[in-house]
Amino acid sequence: MGKSDFLTPKAIANRIKSKGLQKLRWYCQMCQKQCRDENGFKCHCMSESHQRQLLLASENPQQFMDYFSEEFRNDFLELLRRRFGTKRVHNNIVYNEYISHREHIHMNATQWETLTDFTKWLGREGLCKVDETPKGWYIQYIDRDPETIRRQLELEKKKKQDLDDEEKTAKFIQEQVRRGLEGKEQEVPVFTELSRENDEEKVTFNLNKGACSSGAASSKSSSLGPSALKAIGTTASVKRKESSQSSAPSKEKKKKKSALDEIMEIEEEKKRTARTDYWLQPEIIVKIITKKLGEKYHKKKGIVKEVIDKYTAVVKMIDSGDKLKLDQTHLETVIPAPGKRILVLNGGYRGNEGTLESINEKTFSATIVIETGLNPPPLPWKRVSKPLGHQGSPCISLVSLITDIAEAIYLLITKEIPYLLVLICSRSYNKLP
C-alpha cells in the first residue's frame, strides 16, 4: 500500500501525533528521528538508513560526539544569554526551557552524562559563574562580548571622571576657605582656672543667655555711680510698661472672636465629622423600593418605627398599617415639596431639621436651610428625608381606631366574646404613629 496523501485523515493524524515532545528512549540522535512507540523505534533501528548512519559513526565516533557536544553547548549558552542575561538562575530552569524545543540536541549524545557535570564544566571553562546551594546548582552567564566590555569600560571611565570632578570641587572650596581665613585673626580661646576670693561665697553657674546678659549688666552697674543706676532703673521700667501695653491688645485679640469666626469654626467641626454608611432614623417617612415583597408594597410609603442594629428598620405602612422588618438597602428617602420641613440623616449636619428651599433633579440634590441659620451646600437626596410631622396618616388611623372601638362595644354588648378576642388580636399591632 502506498504512502497516504498529505490531506488524508491518516496523514493528518500522524502529524498531530508527532507534535510536541515524546519519550527520549524512542529518539535516534544519529538520524534525528523521534518514534512514537517501541515498535516504531524497533522498525527504525532495522531500517537501511539507520544502518548506514551507524556505519558512518563507527568510523569516527569522537567526531560525532564533539559535534553534538558543541551544538548543545552553543544552544544552551545562547538561550541563557538571551533569556536570562547576567542574572543568577537555577540550571534546571534553563535546561527545562531548552528541552521544550522539539529539535534540540539531547544530552545523551554529548560528552556530559548529567546536567551537573555540564554545569561544573561551564564553571571550569570560565563560561559561567556556578555555585552549589542546598537547592541545587545555580549559574550566571559571563558576558564577554567586545561591545559589552567596551560599554562597561565607558561607564567606569565616566564614574571615575565624576569622582575626579567632585574631588576638584572639594579642593577648590577648601582653598577658598583658606584664603578667606588668611586675612582674619582667629580668636584662640583662653582657659583659666576657677578661683574665688572668698572661701565662704557660693559658686553658681548660669547657663542661659538671659543670665549671662544680666550678669554683664550687674558687672557694668557695679562700676557705675548711683545716678547711672537710677537711669537704668527708669529705662527698665519704661520697657516693662511698653511690653505690658503691647501684650494687652494681643491678649484681647486672642480672647475676642467675631460671630463669623465662630460660625466658621462650627462649619469646620461639622465637616470633620465623617459620614457613616447607615442613615436610618426613627420617625421618618421612607419608600420601599424592593420588588421581593410583591406589588402590594413596591413603591409604597411607610414610617420607620424602630431602628435595629443601625441597618435594619421596622417600617409601618401608611396605607395598610402593616409592619415590616426591612434592611436599609430596600428603602429610600422621601423628599417633601419645597417649603416643607426636612431632616438631615447623614453627614456633618446629621440630626438637624430645616426647611427645603429647592430641588435639583439633574444632580439629585436638595438645598436646605437649617434652623440654626446655617446654609450647608446642596445635599444628596439619600442624606435627607421627610420627617413624620408632615403626613396625613394620623387622621386615617384615628378613624380606623374609632371604628374598631365601636365594633368592640357592639360585640361586648351582644356577648360575642370569641369574635371580640379575634378583633383585639388582629388589631393589636395597629397603633397610632
Side-chain angles (χ1 to χ4, degrees), residues 12 15-16 20 65 114 124 129 172 308 319 344 367 395:
I12 295 173
R15 285 197 300 274
I16 292 173
M65 183 173 289
T114 60
R124 287 195 300 269
K129 294 180 182 178
F172 177 74
I308 303 171
D319 296 339
V344 182
T367 304
C395 296

Side-chain angles (χ1 to χ4, degrees), residues 273-335:
T273 57
R275 293 195 299 270
T276 58
D277 56 348
Y278 56 89
W279 53 268
L280 288 174
Q281 289 191 23
E283 305 300 327
I284 61 171
I285 300 175
V286 293
K287 183 186 291 185
I288 299 176
I289 57 175
T290 181
K291 295 182 179 179
K292 295 181 180 179
L293 302 175
E295 295 296 332
K296 179 181 178 181
Y297 300 109
H298 184 55
K299 294 293 183 180
K300 302 296 182 182
K301 296 180 182 179
I303 303 167
V304 177
K305 305 302 292 181
E306 184 183 356
V307 178
I308 303 171
D309 297 333
K310 298 180 181 180
Y311 300 95
T312 309
V314 177
V315 180
K316 181 179 180 182
M317 305 305 298
I318 295 175
D319 296 339
S320 60
D322 299 337
K323 285 188 177 181
L324 305 174
K325 187 177 179 181
L326 299 170
D327 190 81
Q328 70 173 8
T329 56
H330 299 155
L331 303 171
E332 70 175 5
T333 58
V334 176
I335 306 300

